[in-house]
Amino acid sequence: MTEQNERQLQFPQLNKPAPAFNAKTTHGNRTLEDYKGKWLVLFSHPADFTPVCTTEFMGFANAAEEFSAMNTELLGLSIDSIHAHIAWVRNIEENFGVNIPFPIIADLSMEVAHSYGMVQPGASDTAAVRATFIIDPEGIMRAMVYYPMSNGRSVKEFLRLVKALQTSDENSVATPENWVEGEPVIVPPPHTVEDAAGRKDKGYDYVDWYFSKKTL
């Protein structure tokens, strides 16, 4: 296996430190350390001036204030130059009336793309660079989602997922399928026979010893 293929096979790991970076962006240089103390949504695109990605950029831009209210920063990435990024941002504002408030990494060297496993074997140089990563305030990778070229991401899902992760961290609970803020959460299952036997009397929304919910 060649060194290049080994790089292409590199993936970050959940619940491990996210790969560090020091990258040129449309808002100046950015490092992972710059985001310490905040949640970060890092999302990548194969190239500027692509239609599906344009809709996603607008979606993230329109939700930027909602992310900010959750102590969450947005950071885009594309395998293109700073000048191409600036032209794309200006084009989106001129054609769609949407201002892009977040920085965009110019990753012509593909260094960040490779360190985050965005370029997958068998793909062209940039075709597979379309992924989303959620990194917590300590720089730990908490979620990774990869998408095909043909289908746009749901920005609402990332808003939901960040809120779910924050809720789990703050309350030591899990969240069920399609959970949204205000709905009941899942109580962690008991770890001893004694705790399992007494679970019904804890005041939870009890279904069985391993499955109980509560409202925060």
Side-chain angles (χ1 to χ4, degrees):
M1 181 179 291
T2 67
E3 180 179 350
Q4 182 177 4
N5 284 336
E6 288 177 352
R7 289 179 66 200
Q8 288 179 328
L9 288 169
Q10 179 177 341
F11 284 89
Q13 297 181 49
L14 291 180
N15 302 316
K16 299 287 187 180
F21 59 81
N22 186 343
K24 183 183 295 185
T25 83
T26 50
H27 292 192
N29 264 49
R30 290 289 188 275
T31 68
L32 181 61
E33 189 67 19
D34 292 333
Y35 296 95
K36 190 172 181 62
K38 293 180 176 290
W39 290 77
L40 175 64
V41 176
L42 170 63
F43 53 99
S44 60
H45 300 273
D48 297 346
F49 295 98
T50 50
V52 173
C53 298
T54 297
T55 66
E56 293 179 328
F57 258 56
M58 291 191 292
F60 277 114
N62 289 332
E65 290 187 4
E66 292 182 76
F67 281 109
S68 180
M70 295 191 294
N71 191 37
T72 302
E73 298 286 335
L74 299 172
L75 179 61
L77 178 148
S78 177
I79 308 299
D80 245 320
S81 69
I82 286 292
H83 293 122
H85 288 354
I86 292 172
W88 189 24
V89 166
R90 287 170 57 85
N91 182 272
I92 290 173
E93 186 167 13
E94 291 168 1
N95 287 328
F96 301 97
V98 176
N99 174 58
I100 305 300
F102 48 79
I104 308 169
I105 292 174
D107 196 29
L108 284 171
S109 68
M110 302 179 74
E111 183 176 344
V112 180
H114 280 296
S115 68
Y116 275 77
M118 297 175 188
V119 182
Q120 299 185 16
S124 67
D125 280 350
T126 65
V129 184
R130 198 150 175 275
T132 306
F133 305 90
I134 298 178
I135 301 167
D136 73 16
E138 298 303 319
I140 302 300
M141 182 67 69
R142 300 296 298 277
M144 301 183 291
V145 186
Y146 290 78
Y147 283 81
M149 294 278 288
S150 55
N151 305 103
R153 285 168 270 209
S154 169
V155 173
K156 288 183 179 180
E157 169 58 14
F158 294 114
L159 285 165
R160 190 196 73 82
L161 183 53
V162 169
K163 176 55 70 175
L165 287 166
Q166 293 176 345
T167 299
S168 292
D169 286 359
E170 292 166 7
N171 299 279
S172 299
V173 295
T175 58
E177 181 271 336
N178 205 34
W179 176 90
V180 294
E181 188 176 14
E183 294 182 347
V185 296
I186 295 175
V187 181
H191 295 292
T192 66
V193 172
E194 182 181 3
D195 288 343
R199 177 55 60 95
K200 184 182 292 187
D201 302 319
K202 297 289 187 180
Y204 300 135
D205 178 7
Y206 176 88
V207 175
D208 207 333
W209 67 268
Y210 73 96
F211 193 101
S212 297
K213 291 183 179 181
K214 70 176 181 179
T215 299
L216 296 175

